Amino acid sequence: MKVNWQGVFPAISTQFNDDGSINYESNARMLEDLITDGIDGIIALGTIGENASLSPEEKRDFIKHTVETVKGRILVLTGCTENTAEQACLYAQDVEKLGVDGLMLLPAMVYRGTDREVVAHYQTVARSTKLPIMIYNNPVSYGIDISLEMTAILAEEENIVAIKESTTDTRRLTELQSRFGERFSILCGVDDIALESILLGATGWISGLTNVFPRESVTLFKLARAGRIEEALEIYRWFMPLLRLDTIPTLVQCIKFAEQLLGRGSENVRMPRMTLIGDERAYVEKVIKEAMDTRIDLDKYNLD
């Protein structure tokens, strides 16, 4: 299987009913809206998708529904977030049969492994499936940095082909490119360094706020790749207060609340997460209102 790891990939939310059950109808509407707005693919069941809050059966049902809804129109990647290598291998094999295009693979959750253990986890999962795999490197959230030395070992696995780089240090992109050339596709995984990452050679952007403002995200990405920096900066500066919402501990609640405010989804989450209240809720409302009041006419960029 081949994946074109280029473009804008929203890490989609998982929509829930008021009783906590999955709202498949809402998820289908959200997917249709994103496809209409020009995104290139999606990450289902990542952090924003509340992967760890779903049962094994729900995860597989959700992926089946997502693949069937998309019908091959965009790429469907899925987060693989399990507590053991055995569970991760079973998930990879199951979603391969369900028709996903690739995996975004995290280290084993709960237990923070040594470098040797983390490498072995990735090797074990990679060897269990034919799916192309993207390493998700996020030491800020998960306390594990997949170093250049670890990456060099994982480069020997043929189907580990991409890296979602979320160290928040843009120097890492250059280090990866200098060390590995074009061996890996490198995608930005932090919303508020997206433009910098694209200009440094990131081929894609995995984004949270793209769920809420997909057309702005796609336009920003295309302008940056085309070298139209001043125009990209205009969108980026408008976008920045929104993008910051993707970098705080309550990012899932912030993004889902923003989806609700713009009629793109519901803020419902599963415990231990709880919906926003007080000052934090008011702040998201303020940021969204200011963004809508100053929203840029994207048609002026003439990207067709």
Side-chain angles (χ1 to χ4, degrees), residues 2 4 22 142 222 262 292:
K2 300 286 187 181
N4 179 10
I22 297 175
Y142 303 118
K222 288 181 176 179
L262 267 73
M292 296 303 292

Side-chain angles (χ1 to χ4, degrees), residues 104-107 118 122 134-148 150-151 162-169 172 176 187-190:
M104 182 180 75
L105 179 59
L106 280 71
V118 171
Y122 273 88
M134 174 168 56
I135 296 169
Y136 183 9
N137 187 32
N138 189 342
V140 177
S141 295
Y142 303 118
I144 294 170
D145 185 8
I146 300 174
S147 67
L148 296 176
M150 296 164 71
T151 305
I163 300 170
K164 178 184 177 183
E165 178 46 50
S166 300
T167 59
T168 74
D169 184 353
R172 181 62 68 86
L176 287 165
L187 292 82
C188 172
V190 183

Side-chain angles (χ1 to χ4, degrees), residues 55-272:
S55 71
E57 294 76 20
E58 285 178 320
K59 291 181 186 183
R60 287 149 175 86
D61 289 344
F62 187 85
I63 293 301
K64 182 176 185 293
H65 177 265
T66 300
V67 170
E68 290 175 349
T69 301
V70 167
K71 296 184 177 69
R73 290 173 289 170
I74 57 170
L75 293 170
V76 176
L77 313 177
T78 176
C80 185
T81 308
E82 304 295 336
N83 291 326
T84 69
E86 180 183 22
Q87 291 169 349
C89 290
L90 288 173
Y91 182 75
Q93 292 161 4
D94 287 346
V95 296
E96 181 177 349
K97 295 172 186 174
L98 292 173
V100 300
D101 297 298
L103 292 180
M104 182 180 75
L105 179 59
L106 280 71
M109 295 290 98
V110 182
Y111 174 69
R112 186 180 298 179
T114 65
D115 290 358
R116 180 171 67 94
E117 291 169 331
V118 171
V119 167
H121 179 83
Y122 273 88
Q123 290 171 324
T124 301
V125 178
R127 294 168 189 176
S128 74
T129 179
K130 294 180 181 178
L131 286 173
I133 291 173
M134 174 168 56
I135 296 169
Y136 183 9
N137 187 32
N138 189 342
V140 177
S141 295
Y142 303 118
I144 294 170
D145 185 8
I146 300 174
S147 67
L148 296 176
E149 289 69 30
M150 296 164 71
T151 305
I153 298 171
L154 296 177
E156 298 174 9
E157 304 299 324
E158 184 178 358
N159 60 332
I160 297 182
V161 295
I163 300 170
K164 178 184 177 183
E165 178 46 50
S166 300
T167 59
T168 74
D169 184 353
T170 55
R171 292 170 295 188
R172 181 62 68 86
L173 277 81
T174 301
E175 291 171 341
L176 287 165
Q177 292 162 338
S178 298
R179 179 80 175 264
F180 301 107
E182 297 183 357
R183 169 63 182 83
F184 298 103
S185 297
I186 303 172
L187 292 82
C188 172
V190 183
D191 273 4
D192 63 354
I193 56 170
L195 179 57
E196 296 91 327
S197 298
I198 296 164
L199 296 179
L200 286 169
T203 63
W205 176 20
I206 297 172
S207 168
L209 266 299
T210 294
N211 288 291
V212 190
F213 293 96
R215 289 190 65 230
E216 283 82 358
S217 303
V218 171
T219 303
L220 172 62
F221 182 85
K222 288 181 176 179
L223 288 170
R225 290 295 295 268
R228 295 165 62 176
I229 309 304
E230 289 300 319
E231 293 165 296
L233 276 170
E234 182 181 23
I235 298 174
Y236 198 45
R237 288 167 179 157
W238 168 86
F239 219 163
M240 186 57 67
L242 294 158
L243 299 178
R244 293 285 193 191
L245 298 175
D246 189 61
T247 64
I248 59 178
T250 54
L251 78 160
V252 175
Q253 294 95 312
C254 288
I255 291 166
K256 294 186 87 170
F257 183 39
E259 286 182 297
Q260 177 170 294
L261 289 171
L262 267 73
R264 301 187 74 100
S266 164
E267 68 173 325
N268 290 338
V269 289
R270 280 189 178 175
M271 293 185 73

